[in-house]
Structures are given as C-alpha cells and as structure tokens.
Amino acid sequence: MSRVVLFPYPAQGHINPMFQLANILHHTIGFAISVVYTQHNAPDISRYPHFQFHLISDPVTDDNSLIPFRGNAINVLNARCARPFKLCLARILSEENNATVRCIITDAMWYSTQAVADELNVSRIVLRTASVHSSLVYAALPLFHQTGYLTSMEARAEDAVPEFQPIKVKDIPTFGAKDQNSIVEFFSNVFTETKRSSALIFNTFEELESPDLAKLRRQFDMPVFAIGPFNKRFSAAETSLRKQDRSSIDWLDTHAPQSVLYVSFGSIAAMDKTTFLEVAWGLANSGQPFLWVVRPGSINGAASAGSEVLPAEWAEKVSGRSCVVEWAPQQEVLAHSSVGGFWTHSGWNSTVESICEGVPMMCAPYFADQMINARWVSEVWRIAINLERVFARRDVEEGIRRLMTTAEGVEMRRRVAALKETAAACLGPGGSSYEALVGLSKFIMELG
Ligand code: UDX
C-alpha cells in the first residue's frame, strides 16, 4: 500500500482543507494516510481511526504571541518546527511495517519542510489553501517591495495595481507587520520553497480561476492540480476546532426560503468594539432576519464572545428575527434553503463554500488574502457586494438591502447559481477536477 504523510498548518482555515484532502486521498484514491500535527489546535484524532497520527514535540503552545498569523510568527514557527518535524518524518520513513511513503504533502506556510524533504530524500507536494489569484499577488510581494508600493501604502491606498487588476494598493496583504521586510522575506521563502517542491495542489477548479491558473503554471513551471472544491467531496465539519451549535439549523428551519442573512467572519478576524456595534446596528436596522456567528475573541482584546456588549434595546429591536451563536455548522447553514446571503470576511474556505451552495455574498475583509478574494468575488465574478474594511452601520444596512431585496441581488444569485452548477459538474467523471485528481493520483504513484 502507498502512504502519504500530511502536515497541516495549525489554524482552522488551513486544517480544514488539509483534512479534506486527506479524506480525498484515502477514501477516493485509496492511499494510507499519516498526519503529523502540533499540540496547538490539535485535531480530534478519534474521528479518524483509519489514519496514523504523529504528534511532534510542540514548540508552539508555550508561546501565545506566536499564534498564528501575526508579524513574524510564521517565520519563527518554521524555524522551530523544522527539527521536530524532521525527527518525526525520519521515524515514519524508517518504520519497517510502514507502507511505501510516496511523498509528504505540507501546507505552503510550512516552507521549512522542503529542506527536510530534501535531506530525507522524499518528495514534497505543497497544498496552498488560498486561491490561485491571491497566491499570484503574494508571489509578487518582493516586486511590490522593490517598486515602493509597500512603503507608500497609505498615500497610494486607492491606486490600482495594474499588474493585478482589480486589486488596489490597500489590498496588498501586510499582516499588520510593522517590519515589511519580515513579510517579504516570509513570502519569498514560501514561494522559493514551493517552486522547489514536486507539485502544487489548490482547493479551486479550473473553470473558476482559469486565467490565473494559466498564469501560475507559466510562472511556476511545475505541475499544478486544481482538484477542488474539496467541501463538495468531504465536509469541513469533522475538523471544526469549536463545537458547532446545531440550534442554528433548527432556527433556520422556521424561516422562509432565502430570507436569512448568514453572518460570519471566520476563525481569526477580530474587530474593535466600535466596529462590532456598527455591525450589530447595521443588522438591526436592515430589518432582515439574520444568523450571526460571534465567536469568543470576535472583539479585539476580549476573551469572551462579545455578544454581552450588545445593549438591551438592540436585543429588543432584533427579537424574533435574530439568532446569535458562537460557532455554526457553516457548510450546512449555507446549504439551507432559508439562507439568501452570506456576509463574510472572504476567507478562501468560506468563499468556496458559499459558491458551492449558490449563496451570494457581502464582504468585509480583514487581513491576508481576504481583501483580494473580496475584490475577485465582487468585481471579477460579480457575486458579491464589497463593503471593504472600513464601514459604518448605514453601509451595512444599504449593503444588506442591495443583496437581499433588489434586482442587483437577484442577478448575483443567478451568477453564483451558475458557478454552483459548474463546481458540481467538475467533480463528476470527465470534469476538470475529477481528471486533475486522476492526474494527481498517478503523479503520486510515480514518486518515491
Ligand atoms: C483564514 C483565511 O482562509 C485566510 O484569509 C487566511 O489566509 C488564513 O486562514 P479563516 O479566517 O478561518 O481562515 O476563514 P476561512 O478560510 O473562511 O475558514 C473558516 C472555516 O471555518 C470554514 O471552513 C468554515 O466552514 C468554518 N466555520 C466558520 C465553521 O465551521 N463555523 C463557523 O461558525 C464559521
């Protein structure tokens, strides 16, 4: 039997697609799976009795400042995890009763694993959990640095970036780092090491990102497998790090078709209290029923959920048409007939999940690839309204009205419904993702 060793980056938006990929490789293709993981954000391994698991001695848990995306954290994590990962992988490779290890598949964030793969003479395939278009922008960060975009971002915020239409200078990801050099260094490392790997996997499909896939293939000159959407093969619910509150589904059952706005900003994004209240009052004033995920940490610096800052008059105003939970079964929510729109932070998993269920979006991106995704869904695919990063309650109210009640919203729903059909079709025999998966499986079998 052939085995593949996977190493997810320990954040919800990265763990979900890596485990979906593990399920695809195991259940659809038949590979044996080993997963190397850190104690921080450890998966519930009891849910995967058919996989082997290996916990590496964890350099992450004892340093909360490193978690997970701020400033130089990813560089530090790469430096600290390389050795434990190498020792663990060497052990897996030497186990006599182990099936042939064909390759390792690691998150692009784990760039230090390429040197480990080289040293242990095993092939590495990279899983990039973001979109192709945002990856192209990330890959250009050193160029943006040279051309001065990064040092004059505030002054040029609204300028277009002609090489990457429709993004603007303010959409270039900076991760809030004071020292831009560390971000540029990080992404140089990510893409230099990705280019040295054997192949690249994306949770996307050819028909969605065709021009950008062509551009990436020219630029990277390596096999690129677009085998998504992963969530239509295996749900991300199994790897949820928080308990999904199923009362939200019961609540949705009581509402009319396409009447509810689902609101969630993913697993990391946090806002200040003022913005949080603008969100709350925008939702209240819109008059629309809504299901709002307010997870602990939604407000900067507050450990508790945040819903306790909502005043009594707000609760009164939204009574009977609101449901606030700490974490929802998102994929099921988006597939529910009562949901008519999704106000999202434009994380890539959420974006793909929304497209797959034919739900048009309203975007309020926060960091990283989210501003770029928001630009694409609103201006390239035209299936979303982009509120951008700074908004007030009247913008929210107006955005919800446009999305849920106007002909413009109907047009967005029509376009996203067509993408939903394409996404479903590409997974069937002869479809682009189906064929790409066959290609990936052959490619892996020829390794090692
Ligand atoms: C992020 C973003 O993808 C990306 O911008 C960045 O590069 C790093 O990771 P996150 O902010 O969590 O991840 O967003 P997203 O990619 O959308 O992933 C969130 C996942 O959590 C989705 O699979 C979603 O279904 C799930 N989720 C979200 C729930 O299960 N329940 C919820 O209530 C909310």
Side-chain angles (χ1 to χ4, degrees), residues 140-176:
L141 278 180
L143 181 74
F144 292 153
H145 195 46
Q146 278 165 21
T147 48
Y149 281 132
L150 299 184
T151 44
S152 55
M153 284 190 84
E154 270 179 38
R156 301 169 70 178
E158 294 298 328
D159 288 3
V161 179
E163 305 88 334
F164 290 97
Q165 273 178 356
I167 74 160
K168 297 184 176 181
V169 170
K170 66 181 180 184
D171 302 327
I172 296 174
T174 59
F175 291 82

Side-chain angles (χ1 to χ4, degrees), residues 12-14 16 69 138 236 240 244 262 264-268 293 327-328 330-331 345 347-350 353 367-370:
Q12 182 76 80
H14 293 249
N16 285 359
F69 281 107
Y138 278 121
S240 186
Q244 297 182 325
Y262 170 55
S264 169
F265 305 119
S267 64
I268 300 170
V293 176
W327 198 242
Q330 177 161 304
Q331 205 172 320
H345 68 311
W348 185 238
N349 295 292
S350 294
E353 289 160 14
F367 77 109
D369 54 341
Q370 297 159 15

Side-chain angles (χ1 to χ4, degrees), residues 371-431:
M371 290 80 74
I372 306 165
N373 295 335
R375 209 53 83 192
W376 245 255
V377 289
S378 59
E379 293 179 42
V380 178
W381 302 320
R382 296 189 296 137
I383 53 174
I385 287 161
N386 190 358
L387 287 190
E388 311 231 352
R389 263 201 289 194
V390 182
F391 53 82
R393 64 189 70 182
R394 64 179 177 285
D395 305 315
V396 174
E397 204 182 321
E398 170 65 5
I400 296 173
R401 194 190 60 76
R402 282 170 60 197
L403 184 68
M404 304 293 285
T405 66
T406 66
E408 185 190 7
V410 171
E411 269 306 293
M412 288 182 202
R413 184 163 299 113
R414 191 188 55 72
R415 282 190 284 267
V416 74
L419 283 178
K420 173 187 173 174
E421 271 183 36
T422 311
C426 77
L427 295 173

